[in-house]
Amino acid sequence: MGGAGGGGLGSVGGGSLLDIYAMAWEHLRPGSSPVDWCEGNYLISSNIAEFVNTFSNFLFILLPPVLMMLFKEYGRFVTPGIHVIWLLLIVVGLSSMYFHATLSLIGQLLDELAILWVFMAAFSLFYPKRYYPKFVKNDRKTFSWLMLLSAIAATALSWWKPIVNAFVLMSMGVPTMLMLYRELQRVSDQRVYRLGIRCTTVWAVAVFCWINDRMFCEAWSSINFPYLHGFWHIFIFIAAYTVLVLFAYFYVESELPQRQPLLKYWPKNEFEFGIPFISIRNPDTKDWLNYCRLYCLQQERERDNKHGLNKISGD
């Protein structure tokens, strides 16, 4: 891939538009990626290379809008940046679907870069200050700029050696989970602790699926089950959004303790295998009053409309 990239840069210098277009098409061409997962290609559909790996990304598309709804209060009273992360998860899902449907190099890069930007956005928002490097001086704004510059540099470098990107991203998950383990030792809420244990378990299962699909394809194909990468998509989404929920909780508990974060579950709070989210028990008084005023007005209008419809139907 490095040789092809060098040839492309030389063509740009020579001003050959035809060579530029040829290189761009080569990266868009189905099958141009050096990465090919265990699932057989074009076996279920003649238009989709890896059918199961493509549609196993469904959670990345369906769940983020629900999370945006559940974190509406958090986005208002803590940081609206949480919604950027949910949007990026949708981008990850769409990019992964495109990659597995085409196995193109551009699809691979979009998939991996979307994941990279989720990492960097999450680090910018929620990375605990106690782990900051000394030169940052506990300043989150400076650390966020550092993450942005790192993301831009990594994006540029990813075009140079695309084949190593997946392994680099996997390696970023390990220190994240170690940091989660350390944070769980500090937490007093047992519901949060139990969620952390479940998150770690699901992440371990996801990594098991990824490694086995990548390295032991022949063994799994021999028993007609080359679909572990599809299960990786499902498990890693559950682990990813759960770890984001946990670090969103740690952030408020550590830096905005007056907000009093509370872990809840939807649709039923007592059922701990539902969708976790963070509720804010003590938001800023002024913002809270404005929020309640708007919410109450909306509720009153809905009640009035419903009452009016009932009256008309009764007449």
Side-chain angles (χ1 to χ4, degrees):
M1 300 308 298
L9 290 173
S11 299
V12 174
S16 174
L17 283 176
L18 289 176
D19 286 345
I20 296 173
Y21 292 146
M23 182 181 68
W25 168 247
E26 178 61 25
H27 291 171
L28 286 165
R29 181 178 56 80
S32 56
S33 170
V35 178
D36 191 3
W37 298 95
C38 194
E39 181 184 357
N41 298 339
Y42 300 103
L43 296 181
I44 298 177
S45 169
S46 59
N47 298 314
I48 299 172
E50 297 175 344
F51 191 89
V52 173
N53 287 349
T54 298
F55 289 101
S56 57
N57 287 286
F58 66 96
L59 287 178
F60 285 91
I61 312 301
L62 298 180
L63 260 293
V66 177
L67 293 167
M68 290 178 194
M69 176 192 71
L70 295 175
F71 276 82
K72 183 178 180 181
E73 185 180 277
Y74 190 99
R76 183 174 179 83
F77 300 116
V78 179
T79 171
I82 188 73
H83 298 310
V84 174
I85 295 181
W86 305 140
L87 281 172
L88 284 173
L89 287 180
I90 296 177
V91 175
V92 169
L94 293 173
S95 300
S96 182
M97 291 182 73
Y98 174 68
F99 168 49
H100 289 290
T102 63
L103 292 180
S104 63
L105 179 60
I106 193 68
Q108 176 196 336
L109 292 173
L110 289 173
D111 182 17
E112 293 162 353
L113 290 176
I115 299 170
L116 170 71
W117 281 86
V118 169
F119 268 110
M120 295 307 182
F123 285 168
S124 297
L125 288 176
F126 302 133
Y127 199 91
K129 287 185 176 180
R130 66 181 66 90
Y131 305 122
Y132 277 9
K134 290 183 179 179
F135 69 86
V136 174
K137 298 179 180 179
N138 272 354
D139 182 54
R140 187 166 294 278
K141 186 175 181 181
T142 301
F143 185 77
S144 297
W145 276 107
L146 177 64
M147 290 297 99
L148 177 61
L149 293 175
S150 299
I152 293 172
T155 299
L157 289 172
S158 70
W159 294 85
W160 177 49
K161 287 287 185 183
I163 197 162
V164 303
N165 291 344
F167 293 94
V168 171
L169 292 172
M170 285 291 295
S171 68
M172 292 177 70
V174 175
T176 300
M177 299 311 292
L178 290 175
M179 188 164 54
L180 172 62
Y181 172 79
R182 295 183 67 178
E183 290 300 299
L184 288 174
Q185 306 311 304
R186 306 166 59 91
V187 77
S188 57
D189 189 329
Q190 288 303 301
R191 293 187 101 197
V192 175
Y193 183 82
R194 289 193 296 271
L195 179 62
I197 297 300
R198 292 195 297 273
C199 173
T200 305
T201 303
V202 173
W203 176 79
V205 173
V207 172
F208 170 86
C209 292
W210 191 91
I211 292 175
N212 273 267
D213 188 274
R214 193 83 186 118
M215 308 222 172
F216 304 105
C217 177
E218 288 186 10
W220 288 97
S221 295
S222 67
I223 59 173
N224 296 318
F225 197 79
Y227 305 117
L228 285 179
H229 193 76
F231 282 90
W232 148 264
H233 288 153
I234 295 170
F235 289 127
I236 201 59
F237 175 82
I238 296 171
Y241 95 82
T242 303
V243 81
L244 287 167
V245 170
L246 287 164
F247 276 99
Y249 176 90
F250 298 147
Y251 170 75
V252 180
E253 189 182 51
S254 175
E255 299 187 30
L256 299 168
Q258 70 276 14
R259 294 285 194 265
Q260 299 180 17
L262 181 65
L263 174 66
K264 289 186 176 181
Y265 291 89
W266 183 85
K268 190 171 183 178
N269 190 38
E270 293 75 19
F271 182 64
E272 292 195 12
F273 289 92
I275 300 176
F277 68 100
I278 306 303
S279 176
I280 303 301
R281 286 179 288 183
N282 187 33
D284 180 76
T285 305
K286 183 178 178 181
D287 283 346
W288 179 246
L289 288 174
N290 290 334
Y291 177 78
C292 288
R293 190 178 298 115
L294 291 171
Y295 180 75
C296 290
L297 283 173
Q298 182 182 358
Q299 293 291 97
E300 287 178 6
R301 287 170 184 162
E302 289 178 357
R303 281 198 301 268
D304 290 343
N305 290 337
K306 185 176 180 181
H307 179 72
L309 290 173
N310 290 339
K311 186 175 180 181
I312 292 172
S313 61
D315 294 340

